[in-house]
Amino acid sequence: AAGLDVGAYFFSNAITLEEAVEEADLLISKLEPYRQYITYPVVCDWEYLGGNKSRAYGVDAKIITDCIDAFCQRVEEAGYTPMVYFNDYCGYIKMDLSKLTQYQFWYARYASAPESIYDFQMWQYSSKGKVAGIGSDVDMNLCFVPWPGATRVPGIAPAPVPTPLGG
C-alpha cells in the first residue's frame, strides 16, 4: 500500500436488506485479496441523490437505517471495522443515526468547524482539496482516532522521507 493506510467505502443506495447485504458481500469479495493492507474502516456511504427521481425517494428512514445496519453487520462479520459515512441531510433526515451508534462515524460537512450531535471519528471538511500529482480537486478528511494496524497516528506528522545517499 506504498506506506499509506487503506480503507474502503461503498457508495450505497440500497433500499432493501437484501440489496444491502449483496452490496456488502460484493465489497468484501473485492477487498479479500487485499485484506492484509486494510488498516482503516470499511465504510457504508449511503447517499440520497436525484430528488424525486431517486429510487430511494419516499423510502422510510427506518428502512434506510436497517439497510445500513445490515451492510455494517456483514462487514463486521467479515472481520473489518465498519463505519457509516453521512452528511447533515442524509444523517438527520434519511436515516436514524441513533440506531447506528455502535458503528464508527465519518461526518461530511464542508465548513471551518464541524457541528454534529453525534460523535464522529473522521470528518470530511472539503471537496476542493489539492494534492500533488492529482490533477483535479479531491475530498479532504481528518481522522481523529488511531486505527489498529494503521501506520499513521492522528496529530503526529509523519517522519520526513530520508534523502538517498549521494542525492
Side-chain angles (χ1 to χ4, degrees):
L4 298 174
D5 288 312
V6 177
Y9 74 95
F10 192 92
F11 189 91
S12 175
N13 202 229
I15 58 173
T16 69
L17 295 178
E18 293 77 20
E19 285 180 355
V21 169
E22 284 176 15
E23 289 177 349
D25 286 346
L26 173 65
L27 179 58
I28 291 163
S29 73
K30 299 295 184 186
L31 292 177
E32 202 53 36
Y34 309 99
R35 178 179 283 275
Q36 66 183 343
Y37 304 110
I38 307 297
T39 56
Y40 263 49
V42 173
V43 182
C44 182
D45 175 8
W46 194 97
E47 296 192 34
Y48 179 76
L49 301 173
N52 65 1
K53 301 217 185 306
S54 169
R55 66 188 299 266
Y57 183 76
V59 177
D60 187 74
K62 181 185 182 327
I63 293 170
I64 301 305
T65 303
D66 289 347
C67 287
I68 295 166
D69 186 37
F71 182 101
C72 288
Q73 283 180 37
R74 196 62 150 221
V75 165
E76 193 165 47
E77 288 167 3
Y80 297 100
T81 300
M83 178 177 258
V84 177
Y85 174 97
F86 69 96
N87 59 27
D88 287 333
Y89 178 73
C90 285
Y92 302 136
I93 305 295
K94 293 305 292 180
M95 58 184 81
D96 182 355
L97 290 174
S98 72
K99 306 290 188 213
L100 299 169
T101 57
Q102 70 272 35
Y103 304 116
Q104 307 294 311
F105 283 163
W106 180 5
Y107 179 46
R109 185 163 200 225
Y110 302 157
S112 59
E115 294 179 26
S116 174
I117 62 173
Y118 294 96
D119 290 336
F120 51 92
Q121 291 67 44
M122 292 177 63
W123 172 38
Q124 185 173 92
Y125 62 90
S126 175
S127 63
K128 304 284 184 198
K130 304 290 184 204
V131 174
I134 298 177
S136 60
D137 291 344
V138 298
D139 293 340
M140 299 300 287
N141 301 278
L142 291 174
C143 178
F144 301 109
V145 298
W147 300 109
T151 58
R152 300 274 318 271
V153 177
I156 298 175
V161 176
T163 304
L165 295 175

